[in-house]
Structure formats: C-alpha cells, structure tokens
C-alpha cells in the first residue's frame, strides 16, 4: 500500500457542501470565525442552481398575504407531519431571507412599481385554502441559479475560504454516549488523491440530497447522499427517510425538471383525451394542488389507461394557451429544455411529462437551531445540518414548492449563526492520531478490489428496483422486493473492481464509494417505508390507503446498528419521535 | 429502421464512433486520440455517450459533470471543434455518419482526459469584483424598475462553464487576458442600477489585458450555451469605458 499524503488544518467552523445552505451559513460564519467550506464541486456547480420556480415569502407585494397563512399551508401541505414550531420560523423569517438576498444583489423580477414580483405556486393559498396566492418571489425560471450565484458572489466578496473538489468521506467523532463530540472531517482531494483532516469546533453538514437512488430523477449525478450517509454510519439517526418527493412534471423519459411555475403561470395538465384531469382530484385549486397529490393523479391516469403517447406512459403539460411573450419572460429555461431534449415546441405543442424523483423530505434530524440530534431530544454539541440533507422538519410528509429555496436560506443562516456562537466558547476536540484510518481503509479496499462486478451495473439495478418498487405507489410486497434486491446488491458490492487505479482525478474510485452511500440510504428509505403502514403526503401505501393519525402521527428515526442480520433490514433500528404541534390540529387534506 | 419493423413506442437506437482526446498525467505518455463505438438512443446527449464509455468500456475515462441538463456548467468541452456543453448536445443533431471528436476546452492546462485546470479562469472572474457594491443600508428591498432590471438580464444567465473564454483566439495566445466570461460578469454589475462601483470595474477592464484585447470574432457568442450575447456585452463595456455607463 502506498502511504497516503495527509494534510491537517484547524478551523473554528467547517461547512461541508457549497450549495445554497452551505454558502448561506458561510456568509454568517465567515466574518466572525475562521471558516472553511469544503465541497465535492466548484460552488456554482451545486444543484441549488437547478431550482427554478421561486422562493416563498409572505411579502404581500402584489396581494394580501401573511406568514400565518404560509405556516398553515406548509403544515397542511406536509400532511401534518411538519413540526409546527419550525414551520413558524420558516414562514416568519422568510421575509427577511428574501430581503437579505435582494440586498446581496439578487436580481429578482420586479413589479411595475419596482418591488419584488410574486407568483402562484402549488399549495400556497390565501386564508387557509380559499384560493391560490401570489407568494413565490422569483427571477424568471432560474431563481435557484440566481440564489447560488448571488451567494457565491458574496462569499467572494467576504473572502470565504473554499476547498473545491474535496470529497468529505468521514466525520471523526470522539467520546462515548452523550459525551460524544465531533472533532474533524476527513476529505479526499480529487485532483491529487491526498487526504485532508479538517479539525473544527463547529461542523455544518449542508450536503444536499440523494436522488440518485432512483433512475428517473431531476437530481444531478453528484447527488449521492454522501453527507447523510456519513452521519448514518456514525450511528446517528436519520429522520423520516420514507418521505421522498416525486415532482409531477419531469420531462417524460428523462426526468429533467419543468418547474411548477409553468402551472403557476397558467399551464394545465391533460390526459390523452385532452381532459384537465386535476379537476377530478383537487376541485378547488386543480393543477396547483401539492406535488404529492398531482404526482399520484398523473400516475393514476397512466395506470388507468388514459396516458398519452405511443406507450400511453405520460401526460401532457399544456402551455399553448399562454402568450409566447409570457412564456419567454417567465418560463424561458424550461421551455428551452422541452425544445432541446424532446424537440417539442411549447408555444404550439403540449409537453410530455411524468413524475421524477426530486427531493428528500427526510434526512439528518435537527432542532430549530440546526443542531444535529443523536436521539429524539439530545443535541450533539458542535454538529449542525441545514438544507435538503437535514430534517428540521419543515416539510413533513410533502414539501411545498418554493419552500426548499426558503429552507436553505432560513436554516442555512441559522446554522451559520449558531455554529459561530458555539465556536466562540467551545474548545477544539483533539483529533485522534488515526483520524484518517477509516477513509484510508475505504479507499484502499475499493482500489485493490479484484472482483468481477461493475459499479455502474449495480447502481443501475438499484435505481431500477427503486423506481419499480418504492416510487409514487408502494406496498409491503414491493418494498420487500426492493429490500431483497438491495441485500443482493450489497453482497455483490463486496465483489466489485474498478479500472482506474491512479491517484489523480480518479472519478472511477469515487463513483464506487458513492454507490456505497446510495445503497445505505436506499435501504433506510425502504425499511422505514415498510414500517409506516399508512399513507401520508409523499408516502403512499396501496395496502394502507388512509392516513392513520392514531398510530403514525410521528416521525420515524432510523439507526444503523451492528446487529448480525438474518433478514435484510434487520440491522436498522426504527424508533418514533412525536410531532411538534402548536396551532393546527390534523384535518382531512382536501384542496 | 423502416416503419414496418419498428414497434409502436420503441425507441430507435444507433451506433456512433467517438474519438476522445486522452491524457493520463500518471502514465508518462503524450496526449492521444482513442476511439470508442457506442450504441445510443435518439434522446442521448454526448454526455450519455461518455458515460456509456466510462461505465461499460473504460472506467478511467475522466470528465466533469453534474446536473446533466445545461445549468451547472461542469461539462464544457470541444465537440467536433466547437465548444459545447456535453449534456446539451444531442448526438442525433451531430453528423453521425462521421466520428464525433471530443477534446478538452483550449487555453487551460489539461489535467486528465477532458478535465482542465479551471483556476486561472476562476481567478479572472474574481478579479472583476463580481458582487454588488452599494453603500446604502436599506431596511426592505431596494426598488428597481422592470426596465433597469432588464438592462443586465442577459449577463445574469452566466454559469461559468468557460465555453466562451476558451473559444477566444486571443485567450488561446494570451492566458493573461481576462476573457469573455469575466467581462460578462463585470457587465452584470456595471449595468445594475443598484450598484455603485461601475467605475472601479471599468478601470480594471481598461487594461492591456482587459476589454481592448477583444478582436470581436464572435466565437464567444457562438459558444455560449446560455445564449448570452457575449460579444455585445463586451462592446457595451468598451463603450462605457469611453463614454460612461449609458
């Protein structure tokens, strides 16, 4: 074995991930503490940049609105699994979050009197469900791009230190039980193969999602859940992993996202016979119902034979009644995607669409200070998480559109503030001499593996089984089938080999390591989905079709144990955590 | 495939040959071309073909990619001699009777296969002060008219992919030149009515390595995968240096 070169650093605050949440945290932390941001990508490559439609905030710039209505919509949209104290913070702090971004330079679309313009989005309503409300602040259909660019620009302005194309692969924890503390993270440098140990008082995870467990997804190739997987492997819990959002309008067959803004601006979903089928599923707000309901309605149209196209396997997003100048001004990017990738002209033809795996509602459990929890209540001092990787939980069982760009700004900012506060008085936790040993072992195992299985084959089989068995519709049988398949893939993963044995830019090696995280997270998703024998939000069980508040008005908490397993999934311990309710008792969810 | 033999809804596939420029810094060899035959579908992009090679034939083939639909800017490369994003270039739109040539973007040092050292490119971007500079401390949002917002809309679309800068013949011969992307990002703030530091940026670009090196070849505009009128933006910055911000 060649001895790896190991470099050591000491910071007050280390942030893992340079998307929206990570950079928003860095902007708070950078001026007050010695801060580093470590990212597997150059910051502006992060997937925040792919978000399109907008960021919710009750500015009331174009019509009456209030943060209380926004809170209610978020709770109801999340099918009452939302922690309501967190949702109140999200809605209350949204206004300042948007103003922060404008002040930093974000080029929002404007109203005729020069204020930030707002538009409609799914599930956002006036006065507790009476009618759609204009709450989404936006910049054409590239709001995420503008947020990502603006945050990076401000990081440049503040001189934030970045370590780009560094893959964080381990979190070093020291001590036992409630005394266990984070000490450092260990990163693999893509360009050289060197290892870097970053000691910090506060460590913030802002590592994004893991959509690549599915085949049809709007997520980037790099969204492999490394951060969430690291936390899980440390024996810390993951919350509500069964709740995964399928966005209704992915380009059919490709999964590329077409923003809900298309429907916010007046677009209509139609089946093969041209019927506006959402009128049957959500009579009041129709095409602007929350994503879980629209995605299920679309899948149901296809299952019942009303799908469009030669294989009747998609529905149609109709924009042809919108004036071309509105399309050009408000939806330029997504209409270009339709032209580029499907050769469809949205001015004159409806666009083939089908649900695409989009967003993890679950993740690393945190409290409203973005502090990571080691059980239902106990905080891990010095460890924080924000953004899609975290579960605070403001999205509950189903996230409303425009609440994720809001989440990264509100809770990214909070993570930065509280990470600094902690670092001001805390001491560094000494880094053990063998801090990098787990990462060294992980890399050497893959590099030296001499098996005959290919990473790409295993990954594709994982994605196929997840699309088939754990997507919009789920049953005990389908989930057991997925779990058996994952167990088989785990065994075969022990028998892989890679072709690139080099040290420089070895993406072959990293794809193998990323697959390990994908297998872990897919397994947790399937096991928790099997245990939740009800239907709620994005989790729909055909064998338990109704919501069961008596039994399941609780968050799932999944822990990896070292238990020897006879059956797949037995190594995961499931616990349950109460939902925080402040003002809104669960009601039937009708739109 | 004839209409008779094609099943309803079947997606037709076809075979293409890719010539990919290879370079491995660890094997002591010079850069060279290597050809691969790949089976692809009508909706496949050049990025899909590269993935098929990496995943089925040669795991050591190295390139950057992330979002795979033209918004993250990771996979700019030279495809049949033109700078494009691999994820936005449909194979069926190329001349597939000929091999497809794929090589790294020019003017930046090649690190491995299609990966180049982007640091000089990012440094030029950072050097133009690409952030809003304003002395006021508003309590709410600053007001900006729709017309003032429109003035710099085009240059807000930049994704820093480097397709423009590395298509510029001036940049190929003079790596010190700021290059089109840095000027585009300066333009984005010079023409933002909320910003107060236009003069500072114009001074930075009124340099022998600044806008005056531009020879108006329009390569940058043709290369931009976001459809930004790059050459026009550079011309507007030149005008602003001569006559002040319009």
């Amino acid at each position: 074995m060649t001895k790896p070169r190991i470099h050591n650093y000491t910071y007050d605050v280390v942030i893992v991930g340079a998307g929206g949440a990570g950079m928003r945290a860095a902007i708070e932390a950078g001026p007050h503490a010695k801060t580093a941001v470590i990212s597997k990508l150059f910051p502006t490559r992060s997937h925040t940049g792919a978000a399109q439609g907008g960021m919710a905030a009750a500015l009331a710039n174009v019509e009456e609105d209030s943060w209380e209505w926004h809170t209610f919509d978020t709770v109801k949209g999340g099918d009452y699994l939302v922690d309501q104290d967190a949702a109140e913070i999200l809605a209350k702090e949204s206004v300042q979050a948007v103003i922060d971004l404008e002040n930093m330079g974000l080029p929002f679309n404007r109203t005729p009197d020069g204020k930030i313009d707002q538009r409609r989005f799914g599930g956002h309503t006036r006065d507790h469900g009476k009618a759609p409300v204009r709450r989404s602040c936006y910049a054409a259909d590239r709001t995420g791009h503008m947020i990502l660019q603006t945050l990076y620009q401000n990081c440049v302005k503040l001189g934030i230190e970045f370590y780009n194309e560094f893959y964080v692969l381990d979190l070093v924890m020291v001590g036992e039980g409630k005394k266990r503390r984070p000490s450092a993270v260990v990163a693999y440098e893509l360009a050289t193969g060197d290892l870097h140990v970053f000691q910090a008082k506060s460590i913030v995870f802002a590592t994004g999602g893991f959509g690549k467990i599915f085949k049809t997804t709007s997520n980037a190739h790099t969204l492999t859940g490394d951060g969430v997987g690291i936390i899980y492997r440390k024996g810390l819990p993951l919350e509500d992993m069964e709740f995964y959002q399928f966005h209704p309008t992915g380009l059919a067959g490709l999964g590329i996202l077409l923003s809900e803004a298309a429907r916010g601006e007046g677009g209509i979903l139609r089946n093969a016979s041209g019927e506006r089928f959402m009128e049957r599923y959500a009579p009041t707000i129709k095409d602007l119902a929350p994503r879980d309901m629209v995605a299920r309605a679309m899948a149901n149209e296809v299952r019942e034979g009303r799908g469009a196209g030669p294989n009747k396997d998609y529905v149609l997003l109709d924009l042809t009644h919108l004036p071309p100048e509105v399309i050009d001004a408000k939806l330029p990017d997504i209409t270009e995607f339709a032209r580029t990738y499907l050769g469809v002209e949205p001015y004159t033809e409806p666009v083939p669409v089908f649900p695409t795996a989009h967003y993890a509602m679950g993740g690393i459990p945190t409290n409203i200070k973005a502090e990571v929890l080691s059980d239902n209540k106990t905080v891990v001092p010095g460890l924080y998480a924000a953004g899609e990787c975290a579960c605070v939980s403001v999205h509950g069982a189903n996230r409303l559109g425009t609440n994720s760009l809001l989440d990264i700004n509100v809770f990214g900012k909070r993570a930065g503030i509280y990470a600094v506060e902690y670092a001001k008085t805390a001491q560094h936790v000494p880094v053990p001499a063998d801090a990098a040993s787990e990462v060294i072992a992980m890399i050497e195992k893959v590099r030296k593996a001499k098996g005959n299985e290919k990473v790409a084959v295993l990954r594709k089989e994982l994605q196929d089984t997840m699309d088939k068995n754990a997507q919009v519709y789920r049953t005990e049988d389908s989930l057991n089938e997925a779990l058996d398949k994952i167990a088989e893939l785990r065994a075969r993963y022990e028998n892989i080999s890679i072709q690139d044995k080099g040290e420089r830019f070895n993406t072959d090696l990293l794809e193998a390591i990323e697959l390990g995280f994908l297998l872990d997270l897919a397994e947790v998703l399937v096991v928790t989905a099997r245990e939740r024998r009800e239907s709620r939000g994005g989790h729909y069980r055909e064998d338990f079709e109704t919501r069961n508040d008596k039994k399941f008005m609780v968050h799932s908490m999944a822990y990896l144990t070292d238990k020897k397993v006879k059956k797949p999934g037995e190594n995961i311990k499931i616990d349950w955590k109460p939902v925080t309710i402040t003002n809104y008792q669960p009601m039937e969810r009708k739109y | 495939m004839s209409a008779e033999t094609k099943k309803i809804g079947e997606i037709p596939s076809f075979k293409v040959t890719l010539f990919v420029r290879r370079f491995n810094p660890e094997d002591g060899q010079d850069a060279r071309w290597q050809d691969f035959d790949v089976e692809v579908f009508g909706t496949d992009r050049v990025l899909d073909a590269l993935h098929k090679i990496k995943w089925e034939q040669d795991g050591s083939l190295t390139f950057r990619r992330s979002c795979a639909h033209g918004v993250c800017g990771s996979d700019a490369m030279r495809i049949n001699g033109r700078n494009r994003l691999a994820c936005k270039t449909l194979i069926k739109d190329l001349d597939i009777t000929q091999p497809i040539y794929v090589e790294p973007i020019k003017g930046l040092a090649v690190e491995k296969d299609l990966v180049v050292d982007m640091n000089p490119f990012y440094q030029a971007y950072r050097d133009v002060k690409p952030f809003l500079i304003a002395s006021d401390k508003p309590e709410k949002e600053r007001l900006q008219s729709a017309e003032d917002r429109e003035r710099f809309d085009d240059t807000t679309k930049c994704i820093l992919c480097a397709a423009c800068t590395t298509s510029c013949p001036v940049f190929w011969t003079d790596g010190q030149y700021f290059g089109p992307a840095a000027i585009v990002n300066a333009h984005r703030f010079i023409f933002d009515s909320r910003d107060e530091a236009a003069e500072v940026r114009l001074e930075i670009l009124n340099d022998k390595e600044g806008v005056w090196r531009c020879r108006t070849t329009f390569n940058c505009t043709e290369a931009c995968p976001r459809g930004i009128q790059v050459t026009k933006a550079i011309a507007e910055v030149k005008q602003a240096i001569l006559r002040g911000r319009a």
Side-chain angles (χ1 to χ4, degrees), chain A residues 115-177:
Chain A
K115 292 182 191 165
I116 293 168
D117 198 11
Q118 299 187 271
R119 65 178 166 205
R120 293 182 180 134
F121 237 80
H124 290 280
T125 69
R126 186 175 67 77
D127 193 10
H128 313 91
K130 296 223 166 68
V133 73
R134 295 176 191 273
R135 186 178 291 148
S136 165
C137 308
Y138 67 100
D141 56 356
R142 36 182 99 102
T143 316
H145 165 77
M146 299 301 188
I147 289 176
L148 190 68
Q149 296 290 329
T150 300
L151 292 175
Y152 183 60
Q153 289 158 4
N154 280 270
C155 286
V156 171
K157 188 177 187 175
L158 294 170
I160 303 290
E161 277 187 74
F162 285 94
Y163 293 86
N164 299 326
E165 297 184 331
F166 278 50
Y167 287 61
V168 168
L169 298 177
D170 195 17
L171 166 68
V172 182
M173 303 274 286
V174 175
E176 294 297 324

Side-chain angles (χ1 to χ4, degrees), chain A residues 87-104:
Chain A
E88 282 171 23
I89 285 168
L90 183 80
K92 266 190 207 168
E93 296 184 5
S94 67
V95 174
Q96 189 58 46
V98 167
I99 289 171
D100 284 353
L101 288 170
E102 196 286 332
N103 290 176
M104 284 184 217

Side-chain angles (χ1 to χ4, degrees), chain A residues 21 24 54-59 65-78 82-100 123-124 135 137 359 361 366-370 386-388 390-396 398-414 418 582 584:
Chain A
R24 189 66 191 81
M55 173 169 163
L59 298 181
D65 200 3
S66 84
W67 69 262
E68 192 273 323
W69 296 351
H70 185 185
T71 308
F72 172 78
D73 290 338
T74 300
V75 170
K76 182 182 174 188
V82 171
D83 284 324
Q84 297 182 12
D85 56 338
E88 282 171 23
I89 285 168
L90 183 80
K92 266 190 207 168
E93 296 184 5
S94 67
V95 174
Q96 189 58 46
V98 167
I99 289 171
D100 284 353
H124 290 280
R135 186 178 291 148
C137 308
Y359 187 87
M361 271 74 75
T366 70
N367 62 18
I368 54 174
K369 292 165 83 177
E388 187 175 344
C391 180
V392 47
S393 148
V394 288
H395 308 306
N398 171 62
R399 175 175 70 74
L400 292 187
T402 69
N403 267 356
S404 62
L405 289 180
L406 178 57
D407 180 9
I408 59 176
N409 279 286
V410 167
F411 288 98
K413 182 177 179 178
R414 283 180 158 252
Y418 292 115
T582 57
Y584 309 104

Side-chain angles (χ1 to χ4, degrees), chain A residues 89-380:
Chain A
I89 285 168
L90 183 80
K92 266 190 207 168
E93 296 184 5
S94 67
V95 174
Q96 189 58 46
V98 167
I99 289 171
D100 284 353
L101 288 170
E102 196 286 332
N103 290 176
M104 284 184 217
L106 197 140
F108 285 106
N109 277 43
R110 300 289 175 155
T111 64
D113 54 351
K115 292 182 191 165
I116 293 168
D117 198 11
Q118 299 187 271
R119 65 178 166 205
R120 293 182 180 134
F121 237 80
H124 290 280
T125 69
R126 186 175 67 77
D127 193 10
H128 313 91
K130 296 223 166 68
V133 73
R134 295 176 191 273
R135 186 178 291 148
S136 165
C137 308
Y138 67 100
D141 56 356
R142 36 182 99 102
T143 316
H145 165 77
M146 299 301 188
I147 289 176
L148 190 68
Q149 296 290 329
T150 300
L151 292 175
Y152 183 60
Q153 289 158 4
N154 280 270
C155 286
V156 171
K157 188 177 187 175
L158 294 170
I160 303 290
E161 277 187 74
F162 285 94
Y163 293 86
N164 299 326
E165 297 184 331
F166 278 50
Y167 287 61
V168 168
L169 298 177
D170 195 17
L171 166 68
V172 182
M173 303 274 286
V174 175
E176 294 297 324
K178 303 220 175 213
K179 292 244 176 332
R180 206 163 166 229
R181 298 282 182 274
S183 155
V185 291
V186 183
Y188 174 93
E189 184 183 2
L190 179 65
T192 60
D194 288 6
L195 297 182
H196 301 259
V197 180
F198 292 86
Q199 184 189 33
K201 294 173 181 172
S202 299
I203 296 172
V204 181
F205 272 59
T207 55
F210 45 88
K212 279 288 155 184
I213 60 175
F214 293 100
K215 178 176 150 215
T216 307
T217 176
S218 64
N219 280 204
H221 286 288
T222 41
L223 284 174
T224 51
D226 314 352
V228 181
I230 288 167
I231 293 288
Y232 173 67
R233 287 178 185 178
K234 292 284 124 177
L236 294 167
L238 299 181
E239 182 175 348
D240 287 345
M241 289 291 283
E242 64 272 37
F243 294 104
Y244 201 92
Q245 178 166 82
F246 301 90
H247 192 293
T249 52
L251 277 183
L254 296 172
I256 294 171
L257 183 67
L258 297 187
S259 172
E260 198 169 306
R263 283 171 285 135
E265 297 291 351
I268 292 169
L269 292 166
R270 299 187 190 281
N271 60 23
S273 61
E275 183 205 5
R276 184 180 193 178
F277 59 86
M278 280 312 297
E279 286 178 333
R280 278 188 277 118
Y281 297 89
T284 308
I285 59 176
K286 303 182 182 83
D287 299 276
L288 287 175
R291 289 174 177 172
D292 57 332
M293 298 176 85
V294 180
R296 255 190 319 274
M298 290 167 66
N300 194 52
E301 290 299 300
V302 165
R303 286 211 308 190
E304 294 184 353
R306 294 189 292 277
N311 291 330
K312 298 178 183 297
D313 57 356
Y314 53 77
V315 301
L316 297 165
L317 175 64
D318 185 2
L319 303 175
T320 58
H321 54 291
L322 301 180
E325 56 275 18
V326 169
I327 292 178
D328 290 348
K330 304 278 181 75
L331 307 167
D333 278 6
I334 62 167
T335 43
E336 193 195 316
F337 295 156
R339 290 180 196 116
T340 303
Y341 296 113
L342 290 185
V344 168
E345 175 47 66
Y347 293 158
T348 53
E349 299 168 86
V351 184
V353 290
F354 203 66
T356 181
H358 184 56
Y359 187 87
M361 271 74 75
I364 306 164
T366 70
N367 62 18
I368 54 174
K369 292 165 83 177
E371 293 170 307
V372 172
L373 303 177
S374 60
D375 56 33
N376 286 3
K377 287 189 185 131
T378 312
V379 163
V380 183

Side-chain angles (χ1 to χ4, degrees), chain A residues 45 61 102 105 107 110 116 145 153 157 165 221-222 333 336 341 459 499-500 503-504 507 511, chain B residues 26 54-55 59 64 66 72 87-88 111-112 122 130 132 141-142 149 156 158-160 188 194:
Chain A
R45 315 288 178 226
N61 276 359
E102 196 286 332
R110 300 289 175 155
I116 293 168
H145 165 77
Q153 289 158 4
K157 188 177 187 175
E165 297 184 331
H221 286 288
T222 41
D333 278 6
E336 193 195 316
Y341 296 113
R459 186 176 50 217
Q499 285 169 282
D500 193 338
E503 294 187 329
R504 304 200 50 200
T507 52
E511 282 191 31
Chain B
E26 293 173 80
K54 183 174 183 66
W55 293 342
R64 290 191 176 101
S66 188
C72 81
C87 63
K88 242 189 140 172
E111 297 268 15
K112 182 176 174 180
Y122 296 139
L132 190 81
E141 77 240 53
R142 293 187 189 86
R149 164 68 180 77
T156 63
C158 176
I159 54 174
L160 298 174
R188 180 249 171 276
R194 301 168 296 173

Side-chain angles (χ1 to χ4, degrees), chain A residues 229 352 442 591:
Chain A
M442 186 193 295
Y591 286 93

Side-chain angles (χ1 to χ4, degrees), chain B residues 102-161:
Chain B
V102 182
E103 56 191 309
I105 46 179
K106 281 173 74 173
L108 295 165
V110 177
E111 297 268 15
K112 182 176 174 180
D113 293 344
L114 302 170
V115 172
V116 299
D117 177 9
M118 294 284 284
N119 285 313
F121 173 81
Y122 296 139
Q123 190 56 51
Y125 162 81
R126 286 191 291 262
D127 285 346
V128 301
K129 299 190 183 290
F131 39 78
L132 190 81
I133 300 175
S135 56
D136 57 333
K137 291 260 182 286
E139 279 183 23
K140 287 193 72 182
E141 77 240 53
R142 293 187 189 86
L143 299 182
Q144 182 171 49
S145 72
E147 295 71 44
D148 283 347
R149 164 68 180 77
E150 183 61 26
R151 181 67 190 83
F152 64 101
D153 185 64
D154 202 35
T155 46
T156 63
K157 298 188 300 199
C158 176
I159 54 174
L160 298 174
C161 69

